[in-house]
Amino acid sequence: MQAAILPSALLPEPLAPAHAALDARDEWESFSRPVAGRADRWESYLAIEGMYCPGCSLVIEQALCGLPGVHAVDVNGATAIARVEWSPAAGRPSQWLQSLQRAGYRALPAGDQMAAAPRKQAQRLLLWRWLVAGFCMMQVMMYAWPAYVAAPGEMTPDVTALLRWAAWLLTLPVLLFSCGPFFSAAWRDLRHARIGMDVPVALGILLAFGASTAATFDPAGVMGGEVWYDSVTMFVFFLLSGRLLEQRLRDRTAGALEALLRGLPQTVERVVASGGTERIALRRLVVGDRIRLQPGEMIPADGSILEGETQVDEALLTGESRPLRRAAGEAVIAGSGNLLGTVVVLVERLGEDTRFGQIVALMERASVDKPPLARLADRVAARFLPAVLLAAGAAAWWWWPQGPGHALGIAVAVLIVTCPCALSLATPAATLAAAGALARRGILVRRLEALEAGAAIDTVVFDKTGTLTSERMAVRDVQVREGFSPEQALAWAAALARQSLHPASRALATAADTQAFVAQDVQEHAGRGVSGWIEVQGRRHELRLGSAEWCASKLALPTDSPAEGCASSDCAPSPQVHLADASGWLASFHLDEALRPGAQGTVRALRGLGLQLRILSGDQPASVQRLAQRVGVADAKGAQSPQDKLSELTRLQHAGHKVAMVGDGMNDGPVLARADLSIAMGHAVPVAQARCDFIVQGAQLDAVAMLLRQARRTRRVVRQNLAWAAGYNAVCVPLAIGGAMPPWLAGLGMAASSLFVVLNAARLSVIPAQAGGGND
């Protein structure tokens, strides 16, 4: 999500009725949702227009915080999105827009299609400003070059004057058109008696152009010694380059959220009672409606297919990268794409009741979240700006005896070189780029500051069931009597197992490569197993599938069989299930929980990061130890109650460890809440209720290593950005005040500092291949 870059002075004055229209409940509900746990409060999201730098965040927050009914305001300058928590009984949205307009900004409901047109227009306008500045800069540099290389007396006064006049004419389009965002923002700040980041920039540009103009019109005057048209045009060009790159970075990092917010269609084709269809607005759709979806359309609601067959794309919602086949009677989810066929869908859930709605709410909340470092940088930058003006004035006063032109040149250099844009961009640009990259990999970030916490993790604790293992069991080994093959034993056992719902039976049915046999007269015996018969080459074979004792009692199975199992749905799963026929024991199937894909690779990847690994599970200790050996984790404990897990986690933290807890997001709420970092696995997690920092869509366990490595990369990039911003000012400010940095070099340095921060943060928008956990 991104704000338009139109100067507020150029925007049409909004009509009062347009403001008032948002006060209708059905209007503000379209861009708002209730605050969890507070029935009397709502949170609304606004796309802010007129934000030219992250420093505007504090101004917007101050403009909204004092309004009736407003309890909290969060503004992320890097995304230009504001979150307003408010009480409908005490306030109205129209008051927010009026207050923002008085402060020099405009706003539209975030996600509203109205916001797209001005944003695209602003993007084109910024590109034109940049192109004009670049073209004029090259021409001005061409006219300024002779003054730098000519020997004293080599250029006559009339040639010098001609070159200055040509440069002056070419600088005018830059001043009047390309500098529009800087001047309009600076004027807005000054009208409201505040100092924003564009104030020193605009003042420096005007001083440099004014002094150069005086020298051009009166070469013999006090300002006639030097002109800085090349410095002005170069500075504006590079500054616009930084903002253009920042805008592109916003588009890229906010792409996942933008795709979600604008993914649902504005209108849908509803099937009416007569069998025809009508096109209606999405907000008029209700549960129980039937809708017709064409190929290429986004599914607007959760429901089931009544007619037709298609393939759907659920990648952004469930982490499943492959298209999935869906036919009549099967479920489809909101936010997935209809790829192939025309289908009729019965609407079952809408809006916030869908998983799509929960993910949108989560990502909107994260998009306005600001880590503590970003808040600190904004406060430092806001207090730094008055010092910039004082330093520029003091430098001009100190150097004035050396000549007004020289003193103004130094003041311009100080004003330009000390702009704290890089400082304000250092943290939000990096965290948003990292969060956007994770979102494209199916990892949702609930809190941006969790990226800071993730970089400090030294211990990862896994739950077992549903995290390292899937919900099913798997056949690990098959033992058969002489003359019988494992494949044949599995095929016979699967014929019985397919008639049972027990996890062990499902594992056998899944493991069989064929369905050549159909069991007859199948009976399930509670707590013991399954019996029935199959026909093989015209002969009837009576079979029993289940526990050792039950099979041995009738079919001569040796009573010293090593383990006891059961295939009945009323019996708890066990490591072994046995198959017997009329001649006695036929086969034993060794079962175990099925590991999630990538579990062993994830453990190896986490070890490669130098992390300590532990497993805490409520399952039986023997089962936990068996699984720990399979994945390669030495420290594993079973029979752990939620309180036991919490005690162990607390003990680790008291020992100085930073602990990440990886679970299914459904259980052990206190443990997830207490951990330094919490990660919920699986697309079945209720997004709105999960008490975690990250939600990993689907079953991609290797995402744990990926996000921890991304958190470390983010911390490294943030530190680099902050070190660069601080070091740049520490070196360049004394040089500018001492007169050792001309205005053109100051403009180049200031633009380069912002460019470095943006480009360095952009590296986080791509996750290297080695950031994953690897495959088993």
Side-chain angles (χ1 to χ4, degrees), residues 567-616:
S568 168
S569 57
D570 293 332
C571 178
S574 85
Q576 290 191 26
V577 176
H578 305 279
L579 178 67
D581 61 8
S583 300
W585 173 80
L586 201 159
S588 293
F589 305 97
H590 298 256
L591 307 179
D592 210 338
E593 293 173 294
L595 287 178
R596 279 190 184 273
Q600 294 168 331
T602 296
V603 168
R604 289 194 297 269
L606 292 173
R607 279 219 187 91
L609 294 175
L611 300 171
Q612 299 181 32
L613 305 179
R614 286 176 167 82
I615 297 175
L616 297 177

Side-chain angles (χ1 to χ4, degrees), residues 12 22 51 117 124 149 160 175 206 253-254 276 317 328 332 356 475 510 528-529 571 630 641 663 693 742 759:
L22 291 180
M51 290 186 67
R124 290 194 297 268
V149 299
T160 301
L175 191 78
L206 288 175
T253 57
L317 298 170
V332 292
F356 173 86
V475 178
T510 302
R528 294 181 293 174
C571 178
R630 290 171 62 190
S641 67
D693 300 312
L759 292 175

Side-chain angles (χ1 to χ4, degrees), residues 288-341:
D289 281 347
R290 294 176 297 155
I291 56 176
R292 176 172 291 144
L293 298 171
Q294 304 295 334
E297 288 187 329
M298 194 71 74
I299 298 173
D302 289 355
S304 56
I305 296 179
L306 297 177
E307 302 174 16
E309 181 178 326
T310 186
Q311 288 187 348
V312 297
D313 178 11
E314 299 180 354
L316 195 58
L317 298 170
T318 66
E320 176 57 63
S321 59
R322 298 170 299 175
L324 303 174
R325 178 184 173 277
R326 293 289 185 265
E330 295 184 308
V332 292
I333 56 177
S336 56
N338 178 29
L339 299 180
L340 294 181

Side-chain angles (χ1 to χ4, degrees), residues 158-198:
D158 57 334
V159 172
T160 301
L162 179 63
L163 294 177
R164 288 185 176 184
W165 276 104
W168 181 81
L169 287 172
L170 287 166
T171 305
L172 280 178
V174 177
L175 191 78
L176 299 177
F177 178 66
S178 298
C179 291
F182 314 128
F183 291 156
S184 59
W187 177 242
R188 178 189 62 213
D189 290 337
L190 293 175
R191 281 191 296 114
H192 294 87
R194 60 177 182 255
I195 301 175
M197 292 188 186
D198 285 313

